[in-house]
Amino acid sequence: MLRLTLLSALLAAAASAHAGIRVEAYGVTQAGQPVEKVVLENERGMRLAYIDYGATLVQAEVADRRGQRRNVILSLPDLPAFERTRGRYGAIIGRYAGRIANARYTLDGKTVQLVPNARGAAIHGDPDPYDKRVWQRQDFADKESIGSIYRLHSPDGDQKFPGALDVTVTYRLLRKRDEFRIEYEAKTSAPTVLNLTNHAYFNLAGAAANTLQGHRFQIAADRYLETDAVRVPTGAILNVAGTPFDFRRAASVHERLPSVSGGYDHSLLFAKPVGAYAHVAVVQGGGIRMAVATSEPSVQVYTVNGFDGKETGSEGVAYQRYGAFAFETQHLPDSPNHANFPTTALYPGQVFRSQTSFHFTPD
């Protein structure tokens, strides 16, 4: 009887610890790999969901000023759509997020040749990026949060980068705040470069809203990168004053779009010490306020300039140009080729760590 009572207590404790975590089948990849979807729900009713394919965020359901909850992350309707897309919706990007000029860099006197795209640059780990892989997952629950730990082993020579890399990404939803965190960790077996981010697309008026009208950005960034015609950094770091990239005071991104040729796809450098975890931005729209904090030195702001209505989202609506934004906290593109950029080098014995949080409140 005592053993049965103890077993019942342990099972009840385990069930309680994982309250708010639901796992469901999501599909099987073309390569035959099963994919699951995890749905988290905290004590306030916020929901966060993601799938094993690409460790991809597919939902963040948060409350507006009327108390009505809506999903603010764009996603696709099923696994085949995620396998087809090049849009990288909500996925983890690696081994190097952003462009590397001429698909080549030199580290410690050794030149590494990567795989160029049609414009001659390497970008986002193509042609076999982390967002096209099934990650291994372990769910967890602790006193303050619920979530999952994703792991990926990237062998030596993967994507032509040196060093076997072990990457860990944790998605964490706080129990008592409408906030989720993304925590990154990585180790390498040989000198390499690394730049990880999440590529979620947001629209605070709702994933199907298809316009950034009403969105205001305030970003604690005082500099931005100059880029050439194919968006590769020239090496110059410019002051944002007097430019469309100055969001030190809240401003409408929608109203500024006509003054930015081709839309926003630019790196802004935060006015904080490199590596310091700090509040860096507030985005307001649709009666929702999203506050961002990060340990990363910069953000790539992207206004989905490549969307053309050809992909239909989970809401049944075709996604349009300038209909959402990505806020990709990361290191700078092409850092390995510019000594004046914060370093992205990672060596054996070192542990790369990074964290970004997204906190939602009614506005």
Side-chain angles (χ1 to χ4, degrees), residues 5 12 17 27 34 37 45 105 117 148 207 221-222 247 288 295 343 356:
T5 302
K37 177 181 178 180
Y105 72 90
N117 64 5
S148 301
D222 54 4
F247 288 100
I288 293 172
S295 58
T343 182
T356 296

Side-chain angles (χ1 to χ4, degrees), residues 9 41 58 63 82 102 142 151 200-201 217 239 259 264 274-275 308 312 348 358 363:
E41 184 170 353
V58 296
F82 277 110
N102 302 309
D142 57 36
R151 292 182 173 87
Y201 300 123
F217 287 8
N239 194 301
S259 62
Y264 285 92
V274 174
D308 56 8
T312 299
F358 299 88
D363 185 41

Side-chain angles (χ1 to χ4, degrees), residues 143-167:
K143 183 178 179 180
E144 297 182 352
S145 64
I146 52 178
S148 301
I149 301 170
Y150 276 110
R151 292 182 173 87
L152 182 72
H153 177 72
S154 179
D156 181 37
D158 191 14
Q159 302 170 348
K160 305 298 183 182
F161 287 95
L165 194 74
D166 287 298
V167 182

Side-chain angles (χ1 to χ4, degrees), residues 46-125:
M46 177 179 170
R47 291 181 181 176
L48 182 73
Y50 40 83
I51 60 174
D52 301 338
Y53 186 79
T56 297
L57 294 172
V58 296
Q59 181 186 37
E61 193 174 283
V62 298
D64 65 12
R65 67 169 69 100
R66 301 183 188 91
Q68 298 177 337
R69 292 191 173 270
R70 72 172 74 99
N71 174 38
V72 298
I73 288 182
L74 280 63
S75 66
L76 297 174
D78 52 34
L79 184 56
F82 277 110
E83 288 194 274
R84 287 192 302 268
T85 189
R86 300 305 300 166
R88 313 185 197 269
Y89 294 78
I92 296 298
I93 306 301
R95 182 175 298 197
Y96 201 98
R99 295 166 176 82
I100 295 180
N102 302 309
R104 185 172 61 248
Y105 72 90
T106 300
L107 179 65
D108 298 338
K110 296 181 180 180
T111 298
V112 177
Q113 180 64 55
L114 305 173
V115 182
N117 64 5
R119 294 186 171 186
I123 182 170
H124 291 339

Side-chain angles (χ1 to χ4, degrees), residues 46 172-174 177-181 357-360:
M46 177 179 170
R172 184 185 303 275
L173 176 63
L174 299 192
R177 280 162 57 100
D178 283 0
E179 176 180 324
F180 74 89
R181 298 174 182 172
S357 68
F358 299 88
H359 181 207
F360 301 88

